[in-house]
Amino acid sequence: MVESKCSIRELRRKWNLEESLQQKEYLHQCIREKEKIRVLQITIFVLFVILWEVATRVGWMDPFIFSSPSRMARCFVELSATGSIFYHMGVTLAETFLSFFLITFLGILIAIFLWWNGTVAKVCEPYLVVLNSLPKTALAPVFIVWLGNNMKTIIVAAVSVAVFGSIITLYTAFCSAEEEKIKLVRTLGGNRIDILRYIVLPGNVHTIVSNMKVNIGLSLVGVIIGEFLAANAGLGYLIVYGSQVFRLDYVMLSIVILCIVATGLYKGLELVEKRFR
């Protein structure tokens, strides 16, 4: 009997050991795959930068029109010395964050209101679809006339780019809450507030965060559109100014900074999403 128990324990130990080794091997494979992808991404970026620099130096591309990594680096040092590049970056980031928070707040608030009142939702649905489909660049000149050539116009333009799509997405997600859970809450004496508090909002946290990841990029796009038309500072203004005075280094440098900013904002929200998960 003792020998039988020992053999069973030995078999369990061996089984756990084999299972642990398989898990470790699987984790190692995942890590190696991620490292491989990261190395390929960095390699492609480095080769692109090198090819761009070489192409401008040997005359395949006109450096005055297409700029080059070395020219952009010198331009960045030049603008950093006066602090102007950081000022323009700060203005664009401030406008982007303000627009993003307004979009998130209005999107969640209006989606809850539409979910709460189905009649209002049915009345407003075609208008939301039309406003979401309308090209927002067509509205920018109207915003300038209404609000003036200032930051308010930029914020409103940025909010208009994403808020209608955000409302539609969140409202659809809220209406897709599990009916069985809603019935359970009602059976236990819960009201509509309880359903919202315990079913709808907790069940759509992932949708809200995913929607925020989309909105942060759209906020940046809307801000740049607004700065093209109504700004005295910001990266969008710097792009327009550089094209007007034929300083393409300013234009390309601003575009590169926008790419870095957009990537950083997206990665920041990815960390938030992982935390919620």
Side-chain angles (χ1 to χ4, degrees):
M1 185 71 177
V2 174
E3 184 180 350
S4 175
K5 287 184 178 179
C6 290
S7 62
I8 291 173
R9 288 174 183 170
E10 184 67 20
L11 286 172
R12 285 179 176 173
R13 189 185 67 81
K14 289 181 179 179
W15 176 267
N16 291 333
L17 180 62
E18 290 177 2
E19 191 178 38
S20 177
L21 290 173
Q22 289 176 354
Q23 289 176 347
K24 288 181 179 180
E25 181 63 26
Y26 174 74
L27 290 175
H28 283 310
Q29 288 179 357
C30 291
I31 292 171
R32 284 196 297 268
E33 183 69 19
K34 287 183 178 180
E35 290 176 347
K36 180 182 177 181
I37 292 172
R38 186 60 54 84
V39 169
L40 287 174
Q41 289 173 338
I42 295 173
T43 302
I44 291 172
F45 175 74
V46 171
L47 289 176
F48 173 75
V49 172
I50 293 173
L51 181 61
W52 187 3
E53 182 68 29
V54 171
T56 54
R57 288 184 180 272
V58 300
W60 296 343
M61 295 166 58
D62 189 348
F64 177 76
I65 297 176
F66 296 98
S67 190
S68 68
S70 59
R71 288 170 66 99
M72 286 191 295
R74 289 195 295 269
C75 180
F76 181 78
V77 172
E78 174 189 334
L79 294 176
S80 299
T82 60
S84 60
I85 188 64
F86 301 113
Y87 171 69
H88 291 298
M89 288 172 59
V91 169
T92 298
L93 282 174
E95 292 168 346
T96 301
F97 282 128
L98 181 56
S99 304
F100 171 71
F101 288 125
L102 285 173
I103 291 168
T104 303
F105 175 75
L106 291 174
I108 295 174
L109 187 65
I110 297 175
I112 290 173
F113 175 72
L114 295 177
W115 172 83
W116 192 279
N117 195 320
T119 303
V120 175
K122 290 177 182 177
V123 172
C124 295
E125 184 176 0
Y127 298 103
L128 289 173
V129 172
V130 170
L131 290 171
N132 186 48
S133 305
L134 183 69
K136 305 310 181 294
T137 50
L139 295 175
V142 179
F143 293 150
I144 294 175
V145 174
W146 288 350
L147 303 173
N149 189 11
N150 49 45
M151 186 180 289
K152 288 188 292 186
T153 299
I154 298 171
I155 300 300
V156 172
V159 170
S160 68
V161 169
V163 70
F164 303 111
S166 179
I167 292 169
I168 294 171
T169 301
L170 293 177
Y171 168 68
T172 304
F174 291 170
C175 291
S176 302
E178 294 184 39
E179 198 63 34
E180 292 79 6
K181 293 182 179 180
I182 294 175
K183 289 179 181 178
L184 177 61
V185 172
R186 285 175 175 165
T187 303
L188 296 173
N191 54 25
R192 204 160 179 80
I193 295 177
D194 295 321
I195 295 172
L196 178 66
R197 180 180 176 185
Y198 296 112
I199 305 297
V200 175
L201 291 179
N204 287 285
V205 169
H206 176 67
T207 303
I208 293 172
V209 176
S210 298
N211 193 55
M212 289 168 65
K213 289 167 65 177
V214 175
N215 288 341
I216 192 67
L218 292 177
S219 299
L220 187 59
V221 171
V223 165
I224 297 302
I225 291 173
E227 288 181 348
F228 281 167
L229 300 173
N232 297 316
L235 294 174
Y237 165 79
L238 196 61
I239 291 172
V240 173
Y241 173 76
S243 63
Q244 289 175 343
V245 299
F246 294 98
R247 289 295 304 269
L248 277 301
D249 298 336
Y250 286 6
V251 177
M252 299 303 295
L253 177 62
S254 300
I255 293 172
V256 170
I257 292 174
L258 283 173
C259 292
I260 296 171
V261 169
T263 303
L265 295 174
Y266 184 85
K267 290 295 182 182
L269 282 174
E270 270 193 341
L271 294 176
V272 173
E273 184 179 27
K274 288 179 181 179
R275 184 185 180 94
F276 274 109
R277 281 182 179 176

